[in-house]
Short mmCIF file of all heavy atoms in Angstrom, two decimals:
data_model
loop_
_atom_site.label_atom_id
_atom_site.label_comp_id
_atom_site.label_asym_id
_atom_site.label_seq_id
_atom_site.Cartn_x
_atom_site.Cartn_y
_atom_site.Cartn_z
N ILE A 79 55.91 -41.33 58.82
CA ILE A 79 56.50 -41.99 59.95
C ILE A 79 56.57 -43.50 59.80
O ILE A 79 57.39 -44.16 60.40
CB ILE A 79 55.71 -41.71 61.23
CG1 ILE A 79 54.23 -42.00 61.00
CG2 ILE A 79 55.93 -40.31 61.69
CD1 ILE A 79 53.41 -41.95 62.25
N PHE A 80 55.67 -44.03 58.98
CA PHE A 80 55.60 -45.48 58.93
C PHE A 80 56.37 -46.08 57.78
O PHE A 80 56.25 -47.25 57.48
CB PHE A 80 54.15 -45.94 58.88
CG PHE A 80 53.48 -45.71 60.19
CD1 PHE A 80 52.44 -44.83 60.30
CD2 PHE A 80 53.92 -46.38 61.32
CE1 PHE A 80 51.83 -44.60 61.51
CE2 PHE A 80 53.31 -46.16 62.54
CZ PHE A 80 52.26 -45.28 62.64
N ASP A 81 57.17 -45.26 57.13
CA ASP A 81 57.99 -45.80 56.07
C ASP A 81 58.82 -46.96 56.59
O ASP A 81 59.11 -47.89 55.88
CB ASP A 81 58.95 -44.72 55.55
CG ASP A 81 58.47 -44.20 54.22
OD1 ASP A 81 57.30 -44.46 53.90
OD2 ASP A 81 59.25 -43.56 53.51
N ASN A 82 59.16 -46.84 57.83
CA ASN A 82 59.92 -47.92 58.44
C ASN A 82 58.96 -48.99 58.95
O ASN A 82 58.23 -48.78 59.90
CB ASN A 82 60.72 -47.34 59.60
CG ASN A 82 61.70 -48.35 60.15
OD1 ASN A 82 61.55 -49.55 59.94
ND2 ASN A 82 62.70 -47.86 60.84
N PRO A 83 58.98 -50.15 58.30
CA PRO A 83 58.02 -51.19 58.66
C PRO A 83 58.21 -51.68 60.09
O PRO A 83 57.33 -52.32 60.65
CB PRO A 83 58.29 -52.31 57.66
CG PRO A 83 59.59 -52.00 57.05
CD PRO A 83 59.85 -50.54 57.19
N PHE A 84 59.35 -51.36 60.65
CA PHE A 84 59.59 -51.74 62.04
C PHE A 84 58.47 -51.22 62.94
O PHE A 84 57.92 -51.94 63.76
CB PHE A 84 60.94 -51.20 62.50
CG PHE A 84 61.23 -51.48 63.94
CD1 PHE A 84 61.75 -52.71 64.32
CD2 PHE A 84 60.97 -50.53 64.91
CE1 PHE A 84 62.01 -52.97 65.65
CE2 PHE A 84 61.23 -50.79 66.24
CZ PHE A 84 61.74 -52.01 66.62
N TYR A 85 58.12 -49.96 62.76
CA TYR A 85 57.07 -49.38 63.57
C TYR A 85 55.75 -50.12 63.41
O TYR A 85 55.06 -50.42 64.37
CB TYR A 85 56.83 -47.91 63.21
CG TYR A 85 57.95 -46.99 63.61
CD1 TYR A 85 58.48 -46.08 62.71
CD2 TYR A 85 58.48 -47.02 64.89
CE1 TYR A 85 59.51 -45.21 63.07
CE2 TYR A 85 59.50 -46.16 65.26
CZ TYR A 85 60.01 -45.26 64.35
OH TYR A 85 61.01 -44.41 64.71
N SER A 86 55.40 -50.37 62.17
CA SER A 86 54.12 -51.02 61.90
C SER A 86 54.04 -52.37 62.57
O SER A 86 53.04 -52.72 63.19
CB SER A 86 53.92 -51.22 60.41
OG SER A 86 54.40 -50.13 59.69
N GLU A 87 55.08 -53.13 62.41
CA GLU A 87 55.05 -54.49 62.95
C GLU A 87 55.03 -54.47 64.47
O GLU A 87 54.32 -55.22 65.12
CB GLU A 87 56.26 -55.29 62.45
CG GLU A 87 56.21 -55.52 60.96
CD GLU A 87 57.38 -56.37 60.48
OE1 GLU A 87 57.62 -57.45 61.05
OE2 GLU A 87 58.06 -55.95 59.54
N PHE A 88 55.81 -53.59 65.02
CA PHE A 88 55.87 -53.47 66.47
C PHE A 88 54.49 -53.07 67.01
O PHE A 88 53.96 -53.66 67.94
CB PHE A 88 56.90 -52.41 66.83
CG PHE A 88 57.31 -52.41 68.27
CD1 PHE A 88 58.49 -53.01 68.67
CD2 PHE A 88 56.51 -51.83 69.24
CE1 PHE A 88 58.88 -53.02 70.00
CE2 PHE A 88 56.88 -51.84 70.58
CZ PHE A 88 58.07 -52.42 70.96
N LEU A 89 53.94 -52.07 66.37
CA LEU A 89 52.64 -51.53 66.78
C LEU A 89 51.56 -52.60 66.72
O LEU A 89 50.67 -52.67 67.57
CB LEU A 89 52.29 -50.40 65.83
CG LEU A 89 51.26 -49.39 66.31
CD1 LEU A 89 51.61 -48.90 67.69
CD2 LEU A 89 51.19 -48.24 65.33
N SER A 90 51.68 -53.40 65.72
CA SER A 90 50.75 -54.48 65.52
C SER A 90 50.70 -55.39 66.76
O SER A 90 49.63 -55.69 67.28
CB SER A 90 51.26 -55.26 64.32
OG SER A 90 50.28 -56.01 63.76
N GLY A 91 51.86 -55.79 67.21
CA GLY A 91 51.93 -56.66 68.38
C GLY A 91 51.50 -55.93 69.64
O GLY A 91 50.79 -56.48 70.49
N LEU A 92 51.90 -54.70 69.74
CA LEU A 92 51.57 -53.90 70.91
C LEU A 92 50.06 -53.71 71.03
O LEU A 92 49.47 -53.92 72.09
CB LEU A 92 52.27 -52.54 70.80
CG LEU A 92 52.09 -51.56 71.95
CD1 LEU A 92 52.67 -52.13 73.23
CD2 LEU A 92 52.79 -50.24 71.60
N GLU A 93 49.46 -53.33 69.94
CA GLU A 93 48.01 -53.11 69.93
C GLU A 93 47.30 -54.39 70.33
O GLU A 93 46.36 -54.37 71.12
CB GLU A 93 47.56 -52.65 68.54
CG GLU A 93 46.15 -52.08 68.47
CD GLU A 93 45.07 -53.15 68.39
OE1 GLU A 93 45.36 -54.32 68.05
OE2 GLU A 93 43.92 -52.83 68.71
N TYR A 94 47.75 -55.48 69.76
CA TYR A 94 47.14 -56.77 70.03
C TYR A 94 47.15 -57.08 71.52
O TYR A 94 46.13 -57.41 72.11
CB TYR A 94 47.92 -57.84 69.26
CG TYR A 94 47.46 -59.24 69.50
CD1 TYR A 94 46.29 -59.72 68.92
CD2 TYR A 94 48.20 -60.11 70.30
CE1 TYR A 94 45.88 -61.01 69.13
CE2 TYR A 94 47.78 -61.41 70.52
CZ TYR A 94 46.62 -61.85 69.93
OH TYR A 94 46.20 -63.13 70.15
N TYR A 95 48.28 -56.89 72.13
CA TYR A 95 48.39 -57.21 73.56
C TYR A 95 47.54 -56.27 74.40
O TYR A 95 46.78 -56.70 75.28
CB TYR A 95 49.84 -57.14 74.01
CG TYR A 95 50.01 -57.57 75.45
CD1 TYR A 95 50.24 -58.91 75.76
CD2 TYR A 95 49.89 -56.66 76.50
CE1 TYR A 95 50.34 -59.32 77.07
CE2 TYR A 95 50.00 -57.07 77.81
CZ TYR A 95 50.23 -58.39 78.09
OH TYR A 95 50.33 -58.80 79.40
N LEU A 96 47.65 -54.99 74.13
CA LEU A 96 46.93 -54.01 74.95
C LEU A 96 45.42 -54.15 74.80
O LEU A 96 44.68 -53.99 75.75
CB LEU A 96 47.38 -52.60 74.59
CG LEU A 96 48.82 -52.27 74.98
CD1 LEU A 96 49.17 -50.85 74.57
CD2 LEU A 96 49.02 -52.44 76.49
N ARG A 97 44.99 -54.46 73.61
CA ARG A 97 43.56 -54.62 73.38
C ARG A 97 42.99 -55.72 74.27
O ARG A 97 41.94 -55.57 74.89
CB ARG A 97 43.32 -54.95 71.91
CG ARG A 97 41.90 -55.32 71.57
CD ARG A 97 41.62 -55.12 70.08
NE ARG A 97 42.74 -55.50 69.24
CZ ARG A 97 42.87 -56.70 68.66
NH1 ARG A 97 41.97 -57.63 68.83
NH2 ARG A 97 43.91 -56.95 67.89
N GLN A 98 43.73 -56.83 74.34
CA GLN A 98 43.29 -57.93 75.18
C GLN A 98 43.14 -57.48 76.63
O GLN A 98 42.30 -57.98 77.37
CB GLN A 98 44.31 -59.08 75.16
CG GLN A 98 44.88 -59.42 73.82
CD GLN A 98 44.09 -60.51 73.13
OE1 GLN A 98 43.33 -61.21 73.76
NE2 GLN A 98 44.28 -60.62 71.83
N ALA A 99 43.99 -56.54 77.00
CA ALA A 99 44.00 -56.08 78.39
C ALA A 99 43.04 -54.92 78.61
O ALA A 99 43.00 -54.34 79.69
CB ALA A 99 45.42 -55.69 78.79
N GLY A 100 42.29 -54.57 77.58
CA GLY A 100 41.30 -53.50 77.74
C GLY A 100 41.85 -52.09 77.57
O GLY A 100 41.19 -51.12 77.91
N TYR A 101 43.04 -51.99 77.03
CA TYR A 101 43.61 -50.66 76.79
C TYR A 101 43.55 -50.32 75.30
O TYR A 101 43.49 -51.21 74.47
CB TYR A 101 45.07 -50.62 77.24
CG TYR A 101 45.23 -50.58 78.74
CD1 TYR A 101 45.03 -51.72 79.52
CD2 TYR A 101 45.56 -49.39 79.39
CE1 TYR A 101 45.17 -51.69 80.90
CE2 TYR A 101 45.70 -49.35 80.76
CZ TYR A 101 45.52 -50.50 81.51
OH TYR A 101 45.66 -50.44 82.88
N SER A 102 43.59 -49.05 75.02
CA SER A 102 43.69 -48.65 73.63
C SER A 102 44.91 -47.78 73.42
O SER A 102 45.52 -47.29 74.37
CB SER A 102 42.44 -47.90 73.17
OG SER A 102 41.37 -48.78 73.04
N ILE A 103 45.22 -47.59 72.17
CA ILE A 103 46.44 -46.87 71.81
C ILE A 103 46.11 -45.52 71.19
O ILE A 103 45.28 -45.43 70.31
CB ILE A 103 47.24 -47.69 70.79
CG1 ILE A 103 47.94 -48.83 71.51
CG2 ILE A 103 48.22 -46.83 70.04
CD1 ILE A 103 48.72 -49.72 70.58
N VAL A 104 46.74 -44.49 71.70
CA VAL A 104 46.65 -43.18 71.05
C VAL A 104 47.98 -42.94 70.37
O VAL A 104 49.04 -43.00 70.99
CB VAL A 104 46.42 -42.06 72.07
CG1 VAL A 104 46.35 -40.72 71.35
CG2 VAL A 104 45.16 -42.28 72.84
#
Side-chain angles (χ1 to χ4, degrees):
Chain A
I79 51 172
F80 289 116
D81 256 15
N82 189 340
F84 177 82
Y85 290 131
S86 322
E87 294 183 52
F88 194 100
L89 200 49
S90 201
L92 182 62
E93 193 278 342
Y94 176 76
Y95 185 89
L96 291 180
R97 172 159 38 95
Q98 317 267 343
Y101 286 76
S102 287
I103 284 178
V104 179

